[in-house]
Amino acid sequence: MSERLDRVKAKLAKYGQEQVLKYYDELNEKEKDELLSQIEATDMEILDACNHKEDLVKRGVIEPLAAMELSEIEANKERFTDIGLEAIRSGKVGAVLLAGGMGTRLGSDNPKGMYNVGITHELYIFQCLINNLLDVVHQADTWIHLFVMTSDKNNEATVSFMEEHAYFGYNPKYVHFFKQEMAAATDYNGKIYLEEKAKLSTSPNGNGGWFISLEKAGLLDLVHNQGIEWINVFAVDNVLQRIADPCFVGATIDKKCVVGAKVVRKAAPDEKVGAMCLEDGKPSIVEYYDMTEELMNAKNEKGEPAYNFGVILNYLFYVPDLEKMMASLPLHIVEKKIPYLDENGRLVKPESPNGYKYENLVLDMIHQLDSCLPYEVVREREFAPIKNKTGVDSVESARALLEKNGVRL
Ligand code: UTP
């Protein structure tokens, strides 16, 4: 043990993280072993990034990328839908639900998908999403493989909830859970918090790790065996979104793009959504906080705002190109509320952000691929994200939009 402890201490000293052994002497043997194992397995190299945050995401040359707008989609709707349905019927389309997040803004202890948005009857977020996917299952008359990404923190709760509710009518043979990786969470100086005396604070490592985690879970074999060529990745929180939407699938295939991205027309030039663009000639997303005045005011040849389409975290990826692209993704440092032990060893669940989480984001995958089709959808019909309890992007706003779209609450 002592040699092992020495090695762990050396690692901690190298990264200036000795504080995590504060309670070591109070622990029993099993706890000591667990803590040492966790320290051994934790990537501490990345934590230094919080000291040079500004260098992390250096932007290239940003230029506009035209979207396929509603009028063009409408004019080709039948043809795109046929192409999409054909791909779905031949088993070429799967879906990945990103449900590994902590949903801290919503502030519920359960996974976000377990949130009940119903008023007169139960209607869970997971149920809304399954209902939306079932529309396509019925239209195509075939099941679609649904992969659900969870994390260490919410896997058990998610899996048992789905089982208890009989997958809301989905065929369990077509539902596959996999867990994403975790990363350490730190204070503002990059020091790892403890969440228990024998446990480092960790959080899921962002939604960008989904493809690698899918592979690590052995599910890429299933993707290959089943002949899945396209994967529609979508967020848990948008209760109105269409999943494996045949017209979207068909348009992306027809335009010979290796990614399709559903986008909405921005409500205002400074709206807080990432906008589709080209960066150094490759498809990319410029985050709202990187939108300069110049970009906000730029116009395209039609005289319309050049960066007018925001992403809604619903992407269709072509699997063979994803496999070629295994380069590492840039790191994002995100301010969050992180539960931690205070100086008296008591657990604190902070009311406001108190540190950083270290994440990879799915939007960075786009930039590593060669072609992307931004595909416009009608905001009121397909975009009702639930991030907060009230106000913008909340349970309230999503309920109003669900009702507007004829969903009984
Ligand atoms: P958000 O960026 O809204 O993060 O996730 P979040 O953790 O759910 O919520 P907050 O910020 O703590 O309130 C967008 C989507 O990405 C998934 C989420 O589940 C959601 O579908 N996600 C996020 C993951 O799957 N893993 C992660 O590590 C982070």
Side-chain angles (χ1 to χ4, degrees), residues 98-105 149 180 204 206-207 235-236 313 336 387:
L98 300 172
M102 303 277 282
T104 46
R105 282 169 287 174
M149 184 167 86
Q180 70 176 105
N207 57 30
V236 71
L313 224 178
K336 294 252 172 154
K387 301 283 185 194

Side-chain angles (χ1 to χ4, degrees), residues 2 29 76 81 92 100 120 128 148 159 166-167 229 238 247 258 270 273 293-294 296 322 369:
S2 85
E29 289 311 307
N76 293 282
T81 305
K92 289 185 182 158
T120 61
C128 293
V148 182
V159 174
Y167 300 86
E229 291 179 4
N238 177 7
C247 192
V258 294
D270 60 351
V273 292
E293 282 288 315
E294 194 188 333
M296 276 190 236
L322 275 181
L369 296 165

Side-chain angles (χ1 to χ4, degrees), residues 61-220:
V61 177
I62 306 287
E63 290 169 299
L65 171 63
M68 179 185 272
E69 298 186 20
L70 293 175
S71 51
E72 186 179 351
I73 295 170
E74 197 50 46
N76 293 282
K77 195 169 174 185
E78 227 170 281
R79 195 168 61 82
F80 289 158
T81 305
D82 286 346
I83 298 173
L85 282 175
E86 151 92 38
I88 293 166
R89 289 192 180 119
S90 44
K92 289 185 182 158
V93 181
V96 169
L97 165 54
L98 300 172
M102 303 277 282
T104 46
R105 282 169 287 174
L106 187 59
S108 153
D109 282 339
N110 285 328
K112 202 183 250 188
M114 286 172 63
Y115 200 89
N116 179 15
V117 291
I119 296 170
T120 61
H121 66 117
E122 286 171 358
L123 181 66
Y124 301 96
I125 291 182
F126 280 139
Q127 189 175 5
C128 293
L129 299 173
I130 296 278
N131 285 344
N132 296 350
L133 184 55
L134 278 172
D135 286 346
V136 180
V137 165
H138 295 140
Q139 187 182 2
D141 198 20
T142 184
W143 289 102
I144 294 167
H145 284 282
L146 172 64
F147 302 89
V148 182
M149 184 167 86
T150 61
S151 79
D152 275 351
K153 305 252 177 195
N154 69 13
N155 183 67
E156 249 179 66
T158 304
V159 174
S160 37
F161 180 76
M162 293 295 264
E163 277 170 9
E164 269 162 39
H165 289 87
Y167 300 86
F168 297 106
Y170 213 76
N171 183 340
K173 286 198 198 108
Y174 285 78
V175 182
H176 318 277
F177 295 94
F178 66 103
K179 282 199 262 180
Q180 70 176 105
E181 319 284 301
M182 304 296 285
T186 70
D187 67 13
Y188 288 120
N189 298 314
K191 302 277 183 205
I192 301 174
Y193 278 122
L194 285 175
E195 68 182 32
E196 289 171 27
K197 290 184 175 176
K199 201 160 180 238
L200 312 184
S201 286
T202 56
S203 77
N205 69 343
N207 57 30
W210 70 268
F211 191 66
I212 289 168
S213 301
L214 186 85
E215 188 193 23
K216 281 196 179 157
L219 287 169
L220 205 50

